[in-house]
């Protein structure tokens, strides 16, 4: 069983039972437009937060257990949202386009080799002029637990061709360890150009 499926048998540290406040803020500021895709949606809190506000929103994840929990929450809350078992490194096959893509803790999972595969697949499903809002762990978060740390330079490098970084700033990733927060980067990256897809 994969690391993530195993994690979702219990309540992993990132599964806080509500939307991450950085995405709540983005929504309040009017930075999110339908249709929305949440890549690596986990148990769906960010998706369900947006669905409740009337956005047309889809979540994809590669962990079956997370999706089962997400669908159960949607039914319990009477919300309409789509959850799909999907590999974020093969988004091209989705053959759909989104105005906004949100990412709460997926990008920092990828290896150096996977990053260009992800960004080119992302480009295939985002509308020209669409926006990708990404929250990832920062190298300023001390210790070695948890996900890979990402620096601002790495974000700039990963999105250097065909994208424009409109916003990149220190942020907080909430966890359920004593309601503690971890140091993160929030980045809003606009898709500008059509790029060739890198095969995985
Ligand atoms: N966004 C959620 C989960 C963050 S943890 C939240 O904020 O709670 C990262 C998530 O990415 C996990 O749910 C994991 O299953 C998913 N994931 C990891 N690799 C993936 C891939 N290649 N494709 C789709 N989802 C992936």
């Amino acid at each position: 069983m994969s690391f993530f499926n195993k994690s979702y048998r219990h309540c992993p540290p990132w599964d806080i039972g509500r939307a991450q406040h950085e995405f709540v803020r983005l929504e309040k500021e009017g930075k999110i437009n339908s249709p929305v895709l949440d890549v690596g949606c986990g148990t769906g809190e960010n998706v369900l937060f947006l669905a409740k506000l009337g956005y047309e929103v889809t979540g994809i994840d590669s962990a079956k257990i997370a999706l089962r929990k997400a669908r159960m929450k949607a039914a319990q809350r009477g919300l309409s949202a789509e959850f799909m078992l999907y590999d974020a490194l093969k988004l091209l096959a989705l053959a759909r386009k989104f105005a906004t893509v949100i990412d709460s803790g997926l990008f920092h999972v990828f290896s150096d080799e996977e990053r260009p595969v992800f960004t080119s697949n992302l480009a295939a499903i985002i509308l020209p002029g669409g926006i990708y809002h990404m929250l990832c762990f920062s190298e300023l978060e001390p210790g070695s637990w948890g996900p890979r740390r990402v620096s601002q330079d790495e974000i700039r490098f990963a999105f250097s061709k065909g994208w424009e970084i409109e916003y990149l700033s220190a942020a907080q990733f909430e966890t359920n360890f004593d309601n503690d927060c971890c140091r993160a980067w929030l980045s809003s990256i606009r898709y500008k150009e059509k790029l060739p897809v890198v095969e995985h």
Side-chain angles (χ1 to χ4, degrees):
M1 185 178 269
S2 74
F3 165 79
F4 283 107
N5 262 316
K6 239 182 249 163
S7 309
Y8 284 116
R9 284 170 152 184
H10 307 285
C11 185
W14 61 84
D15 198 9
I16 58 173
R18 61 179 185 280
Q20 285 283 338
H21 68 69
E22 299 292 357
F23 291 99
V24 174
R25 185 172 59 77
L26 286 170
E27 193 286 325
K28 269 200 195 119
E29 291 172 358
K31 305 268 171 61
I32 295 185
N33 292 301
S34 292
V36 185
L37 177 69
D38 183 351
V39 283
C41 64
T43 69
E45 289 297 341
N46 295 313
V47 169
L48 295 172
F49 162 71
L50 294 173
K52 191 168 183 188
L53 294 173
Y55 290 85
E56 182 192 334
V57 51
T58 301
I60 62 128
D61 203 284
S62 54
K64 265 191 189 159
I65 299 178
L67 293 171
R68 198 183 308 147
K69 289 185 176 181
R71 291 185 187 119
M72 215 182 306
K73 285 190 215 176
Q76 279 163 357
R77 298 179 198 177
L79 294 171
S80 155
E82 185 181 22
F83 291 102
M84 296 168 69
L85 184 66
Y86 224 88
D87 184 348
L89 299 174
K90 296 179 180 158
L91 285 173
L92 175 67
L94 251 184
R96 280 165 65 181
K97 301 269 184 188
F98 299 86
T100 307
V101 179
I102 61 170
D103 172 343
S104 169
L106 174 69
F107 182 80
H108 63 204
V109 162
F110 295 133
S111 64
D112 285 357
E113 294 71 33
E114 286 169 329
R115 284 178 182 172
V117 177
F118 174 65
T119 55
S120 67
N121 271 271
L122 191 60
I125 55 88
I126 196 161
L127 289 162
I131 194 112
Y132 169 62
H133 297 299
M134 187 262 281
L135 182 65
C136 66
F137 262 48
S138 143
E139 82 282 17
L140 303 174
E141 174 62 27
S144 57
W145 72 279
R148 182 176 180 187
R149 277 38 170 183
V150 180
S151 70
Q152 285 208 13
D153 281 350
E154 287 174 80
I155 297 171
R156 290 187 199 288
F157 179 73
F159 292 92
S160 53
K161 288 191 195 109
W163 300 83
E164 186 186 331
I165 299 183
E166 286 190 353
Y167 178 90
L168 176 49
S169 189
Q172 295 199 313
F173 198 107
E174 296 174 278
T175 73
N176 57 26
F177 282 143
D178 301 325
N179 286 325
D180 212 359
C181 287
C182 295
R183 298 184 77 170
W185 299 119
L186 177 69
S187 191
S188 296
I189 308 170
R190 179 100 37 208
Y191 176 53
K192 294 287 199 190
E193 275 171 32
K194 203 165 163 38
L195 296 170
V197 172
V198 177
E199 293 295 331
H200 185 40

